Amino acid sequence: YASQASFLEKLRSEGDILWTFFTRDKFGNWSVKPHAAAAFYRFMASWSIYLRNPAHFGFTDILATLPPPDIREYDIPITDVQREMMYAFLVKGGKGLFTDDGMGVQERSKLSQLAKGFLYDKTSDKRRVAMVESNKPAFVANLARADVAEGRQVLIWTVFDAESDILAEQLADLDGVAVLDGDMSDQARADLLEAFRL
């Protein structure tokens, strides 16, 4: 819910939906706050739709013909620079070296950025991006190149704009690479999506 609402610009950030409607227990499990359940479902109904079977509403029934997902996990080694920065970040935040207990959205966001090869730095009114040595962008770019070489269309979903920019730069040698982000006009988005469908 959080990522889709954020992507559709119904929230300022994913944290808005998490801390407004959800709570997390000591085991890390999320649940809707009992007193916020009605408000949560009103919010969801204001921008989303849940369809058990699209054919019941006149849409094409493609669910029966979808192949099962092909899920692959890759272990991408952390660089020495990332390891050093991660430990420094955890110690500075009072989290220790070997635990993620009590880490909030901001801490996890910083570690996620670090893993992807950058850190946002907001030391002034303007947000800057500091690059960090990482094996992940090149690895993801090579996966995309391999799929393109086999004639597949590739869509890479990212969390951060900087991550998209890094991958676009890594894939600059391929034809048709484009980045869709929240700053694009509605027409530019529609044109880009249409080009992807062709």
Side-chain angles (χ1 to χ4, degrees):
Y1 303 136
S3 64
Q4 293 300 312
S6 181
F7 175 73
L8 295 171
E9 300 175 355
K10 301 301 177 185
L11 299 167
R12 288 175 305 214
S13 70
E14 293 180 16
D16 286 356
I17 195 172
L18 293 177
W19 303 118
T20 302
F21 301 115
F22 289 82
T23 185
R24 188 169 57 176
D25 64 21
K26 64 182 179 181
F27 304 108
N29 299 316
W30 292 92
S31 61
V32 177
K33 295 175 184 176
H35 67 278
F40 170 68
Y41 290 112
R42 275 195 309 273
F43 165 72
M44 292 295 294
S46 73
W47 64 270
S48 67
I49 184 171
Y50 176 79
L51 302 177
R52 196 176 291 273
N53 185 344
H56 292 167
F57 297 89
F59 297 102
T60 304
D61 184 7
I62 61 165
L63 297 179
T65 59
L66 287 177
D70 180 11
I71 300 172
R72 301 176 192 186
E73 292 185 21
Y74 299 96
D75 185 14
I76 304 170
I78 190 171
T79 66
D80 291 338
V81 171
Q82 285 174 308
R83 183 176 290 107
E84 188 176 311
M85 292 178 78
M86 176 187 70
Y87 287 155
F89 176 72
L90 291 173
V91 169
K92 183 179 177 184
K95 304 302 178 191
L97 297 177
F98 306 107
T99 180
D100 65 356
D101 290 345
M103 286 197 343
V105 173
Q106 289 183 340
E107 290 92 352
R108 291 181 189 278
S109 177
K110 282 292 183 194
L111 292 176
S112 178
Q113 294 167 30
L114 183 61
K116 293 164 180 158
F118 73 95
L119 282 172
Y120 283 130
D121 178 24
K122 189 168 171 47
T123 54
S124 65
D125 290 341
K126 195 170 188 176
R127 181 162 62 175
R128 297 180 316 179
V129 177
M131 302 304 293
V132 177
E133 179 187 338
S134 173
N135 295 318
K136 187 171 184 178
F139 188 90
V140 171
N142 286 334
L143 288 176
R145 270 192 202 85
D147 279 347
V148 168
E150 293 182 14
R152 296 187 186 102
Q153 284 185 299
V154 177
L155 177 66
I156 302 173
W157 189 277
T158 62
V159 176
F160 304 100
D161 288 344
E163 182 184 6
S164 298
D165 296 339
I166 291 168
L167 287 170
E169 187 177 313
Q170 290 272 335
L171 294 167
D173 58 311
L174 293 178
D175 289 333
V177 172
V179 175
L180 187 151
D181 62 34
D183 292 332
M184 294 180 81
S185 69
D186 290 343
Q187 185 58 53
R189 286 183 192 205
D191 293 344
L192 194 114
L193 291 171
E194 186 60 32
F196 183 78
R197 287 188 188 104
L198 298 176

